[in-house]
Amino acid sequence: MAGLHYSSRPSSSSSLSSSSSSSASAYQAFASRLLFLLTVLPLTLAFFAFVLQWRGGLNDDPVNRWSPVRHQFPGMETSESPSRTASGTACLDPLARSRSPSFPYYRDWKFDYSSDLRPKSPVMFQICITTSTSAGLEQTLPWIFYHKVIGVSNFFLFVEGKAASANVSKVLESIPGVKVIYRTRELEEQQAKSRIWNETWLASFFYKPCNYELFVKQSLNMEMAIVMAREAGMDWIFHLDTDELIHPAGTREYSLRQLLADVPGNVDMVIFPNYESSVERDDIKEPFSEVSMFKKNYDHLLKDVYFGNYKEATRGNPNYFLTYGNGKSAARVHEHLRPNGAHRWHNYMKTPHEIKLEEAAVLHYTYTKFSDLTSRRDRCGCKPTRDDVKRCFMLEFDRTAFIIASTATEDEMLRWYQERIVWTDKELNMKLMRKGILTRIYAPMVIIQGLRESGVFSSVIAEAEQASLSKEKFLSSVESSNSSRTTTSSRAFSSRKIGITDSQGTARRVLEFTDDSTHPSAIPPLSPPELDDDSEAAT
């Protein structure tokens, strides 16, 4: 019995063999089914897609809807282009210039609109710039349209000299958002009544020639521009020269509007430190399009870097910068706002709360052309002596340049210009670039070159010429009615519009309860800190 019972039980080895065989069979069956599904599923989906496409089931696909084969892009003409082939496969040239040039940086911003041109922006406040200029169109047009691109809507141009000539002024007047104010006898009479003459903050600049006279003129023009800015509904106002460009660094969209939108509401004035152009050639013709190297402001450098490289960066000139180093500013257009010289603003009723920007700057293209030496000389009648030039110029380099331009030969002037102004030493340039003193800024160059290549400037000039012809015909038909207007009524209207008469009485009342301690002296163009100022700057 024991032997029979033993023979009837399976051995352990046969049991393990049977179990492993059944597992292998199950795994093979699962793998076969999985392989079948992976093969059949893609084929099924492909077949299903083919059926839908064949029956037209994908005609509503968004990509197909806006395909250039069937339709134009949104906003373009819906009519078929005559250049298309019968099959409809020809494409429109996306780089073709339109008959009416537009900014490449703002969609649908055309230049033939009669209404005011204002860039589309989620920020609704308006920015204006005022300037006093005698420059021609080759400088003024790039200056205006560059600032339009970055968000400036209005310009108040106080013009004289070349800028006031008929050919230049008619173009400037044709640009939407630009108001041209001529230096007429009437304007001078209005400014002679300004309250500024009865105050002390600008008195040290009165009755002096050249730069001092220009400084007073700029301040008087700024005072009028404030009134115009309020009437136009402006929120911010700048004063810039036409050799200066705002550089709104620190914003993702390179937008001045966005930059000012981030300024806290309790801030009244924003200071933009200036960077100074560092030209690398002596044959620059169009500075805005040819200059990309700039020297940084002291405010944007570490103190040790600035003073540690001061002598190399100065290159034998009187100061680190050739001209001013205290930047320019923007002010909110509030009640009682007044200029405080060409570089700052102030308020008759309070001390403005100001901040200084850490990245944004004003790019100053100074002495960028060799002809700048003689042009500055020709605008001033001072004697080329060390004593007399102090009466005319506030900064030491301007005095030296005036004497050189007045006494040296053409070859001597060019040699001096190359030694003191042109940066030809590439090793020194690279060293100062690594230190952060010199920097490359290409954005203005790219924007202005783009505007020029798109035909904006030539289009504005051509349209102004055409409008001028129509205007002349119109003026000839109403000349008799214009001549009947009296000079007295014209002056009265202008005074009321600018607000001189109304502000005169207010000025007298304000002066009764304000003291000079709340009205500091106007801030002139100041040089950056000198090497001897190291100990003072550290305190």
Side-chain angles (χ1 to χ4, degrees):
M1 291 294 294
L4 180 62
H5 178 72
Y6 175 77
S7 63
S8 66
R9 294 176 59 188
S11 67
S12 63
S13 62
S14 63
S15 175
L16 290 173
S17 174
S18 173
S19 174
S20 110
S21 174
S22 107
S23 298
S25 299
Y27 177 79
Q28 290 177 355
F30 175 78
S32 299
R33 291 190 186 95
L34 180 62
L35 182 62
F36 176 79
L37 288 175
L38 292 176
T39 304
V40 173
L41 184 60
L43 292 175
T44 304
L45 292 176
F47 177 77
F48 182 68
F50 173 79
V51 171
L52 288 179
Q53 178 69 23
W54 178 69
R55 297 185 61 186
L58 299 180
N59 284 343
D60 290 331
D61 182 82
V63 175
N64 188 51
R65 186 185 308 133
W66 299 118
S67 170
V69 176
R70 295 180 59 87
H71 300 285
Q72 305 257 3
F73 284 100
M76 299 174 64
E77 296 180 0
T78 56
S79 60
E80 293 292 329
S81 172
S83 63
R84 290 190 174 186
T85 62
S87 62
T89 58
C91 296
L92 294 177
D93 183 4
L95 299 180
R97 286 174 52 184
S98 64
R99 293 185 179 180
S100 178
S102 63
F103 278 118
Y105 310 96
Y106 287 97
R107 187 184 300 275
D108 298 329
W109 192 7
K110 303 295 182 182
F111 287 92
D112 56 349
Y113 292 168
S114 58
S115 61
D116 187 16
L117 296 177
R118 290 179 178 175
K120 305 296 187 298
S121 173
V123 183
M124 299 307 296
F125 59 75
Q126 302 299 315
I127 306 168
C128 67
I129 295 178
T130 181
T131 189
S132 304
T133 182
S134 59
L137 292 177
E138 72 282 351
Q139 179 172 327
T140 310
L141 284 183
W143 181 83
I144 290 174
F145 284 105
Y146 166 83
H147 285 111
K148 276 182 173 287
V149 167
I150 66 172
V152 177
S153 57
N154 288 62
F155 300 81
F156 304 115
L157 308 183
F158 291 81
V159 299
E160 52 186 299
K162 188 176 182 180
S165 64
N167 291 335
V168 174
S169 60
K170 69 181 179 184
V171 176
L172 298 178
E173 289 179 339
S174 71
I175 303 173
V178 174
K179 181 176 180 60
V180 180
I181 306 99
Y182 299 91
R183 186 138 205 96
T184 61
R185 182 185 182 90
E186 180 182 357
L187 177 68
E188 291 179 348
E189 290 176 354
Q190 291 170 351
Q191 291 186 342
K193 301 175 184 177
S194 169
R195 61 181 291 177
I196 290 177
W197 297 101
N198 298 322
E199 298 169 352
T200 60
W201 58 270
L202 194 62
S204 61
F205 299 90
F206 291 160
Y207 314 116
K208 294 181 180 180
C210 296
N211 277 13
Y212 292 90
E213 180 182 1
L214 174 62
F215 194 74
V216 173
K217 191 183 298 183
Q218 289 173 328
S219 299
L220 292 169
N221 292 344
M222 290 166 69
E223 182 186 49
M224 284 189 163
I226 291 171
V227 178
M228 297 175 188
R230 290 181 59 188
E231 291 178 351
M234 297 292 105
D235 300 287
W236 289 91
I237 185 170
F238 279 84
H239 174 263
L240 290 181
D241 297 326
T242 51
D243 63 350
E244 298 170 330
L245 299 179
I246 300 171
H247 175 52
T251 58
R252 186 173 61 181
E253 300 174 355
Y254 203 73
S255 167
L256 180 61
R257 290 190 176 201
Q258 188 60 56
L259 183 70
L260 294 178
D262 295 336
V263 174
N266 65 333
V267 173
D268 303 303
M269 184 168 65
V270 177
I271 299 173
F272 289 70
N274 63 295
Y275 289 7
E276 191 173 78
S277 60
S278 300
V279 298
E280 299 169 84
R281 308 193 324 266
D282 60 13
D283 59 348
I284 299 293
K285 301 300 180 185
E286 297 175 350
F288 294 153
S289 300
E290 298 180 56
V291 177
S292 63
M293 190 166 74
F294 295 86
K295 190 186 294 186
K296 284 188 177 181
N297 194 285
Y298 168 79
D299 291 321
H300 285 180
L301 292 171
L302 295 175
K303 181 173 68 69
D304 293 342
V305 172
Y306 177 84
F307 288 109
N309 299 273
Y310 184 89
K311 291 184 178 179
E312 287 184 296
T314 302
R315 299 193 309 152
N317 290 319
N319 201 275
Y320 174 80
F321 274 168
L322 302 181
T323 52
Y324 77 90
N326 54 330
K328 290 294 181 73
S329 61
R332 293 188 193 270
V333 182
H334 285 164
E335 291 284 343
H336 311 295
L337 180 67
R338 72 159 173 85
N340 197 32
H343 295 256
R344 296 290 187 271
W345 306 86
H346 201 68
N347 192 292
Y348 279 112
M349 303 304 293
K350 68 172 184 176
T351 300
H353 179 203
E354 64 181 47
I355 62 172
K356 186 175 293 184
L357 297 177
E358 296 180 354
E359 295 181 80
V362 165
L363 306 180
H364 187 200
Y365 296 76
T366 184
Y367 288 100
T368 50
K369 296 185 290 185
F370 176 63
S371 60
D372 288 344
L373 285 178
T374 54
S375 63
R376 291 168 186 258
R377 175 199 65 193
D378 296 340
R379 292 198 302 264
C380 186
C382 290
K383 298 177 182 178
T385 63
R386 299 305 304 178
D387 291 334
D388 204 52
V389 292
K390 292 181 181 179
R391 296 189 308 111
C392 303
F393 301 98
M394 303 180 197
L395 299 174
E396 187 61 31
F397 186 86
D398 288 332
R399 298 168 183 170
T400 304
F402 180 81
I403 293 176
I404 292 293
S406 302
T407 59
T409 65
E410 188 81 8
D411 291 339
E412 290 172 341
M413 277 194 294
L414 181 58
R415 189 160 50 250
W416 183 87
Y417 183 82
Q418 292 170 339
E419 292 175 355
R420 299 301 184 92
I421 298 177
V422 183
W423 292 73
T424 56
D425 189 340
K426 294 184 179 180
E427 291 186 6
L428 176 61
N429 296 353
M430 187 58 63
K431 176 183 177 180
L432 296 180
M433 199 85 68
R434 293 192 186 101
K435 295 285 186 178
I437 291 176
L438 293 178
T439 186
R440 293 284 183 184
I441 299 176
Y442 293 103
M445 176 188 294
V446 172
I447 291 174
I448 290 173
Q449 286 178 343
L451 291 170
R452 181 177 288 106
E453 291 170 2
S454 67
V456 169
F457 305 146
S458 58
S459 174
V460 168
I461 294 174
E463 291 179 6
E465 292 286 349
Q466 185 64 32
S468 178
L469 295 176
S470 302
K471 184 178 180 181
E472 289 176 1
K473 294 180 181 179
F474 172 77
L475 291 178
S476 62
S477 65
V478 296
E479 185 176 358
S480 58
S481 62
N482 285 341
S483 61
S484 64
R485 297 181 181 180
T486 63
T487 304
T488 304
S489 62
S490 175
R491 290 179 180 174
F493 172 79
S494 299
S495 296
R496 287 196 303 272
K497 187 173 182 180
I498 295 177
I500 295 296
T501 303
D502 294 338
S503 66
Q504 195 76 0
T506 304
R508 304 300 185 203
R509 290 195 295 272
V510 168
L511 287 176
E512 291 176 1
F513 59 84
T514 58
D515 57 71
D516 288 344
S517 62
T518 61
H519 303 302
S521 297
I523 298 176
L526 299 174
S527 296
E530 297 182 9
L531 192 59
D532 295 339
D533 297 337
D534 191 0
S535 58
E536 181 179 346
T539 59

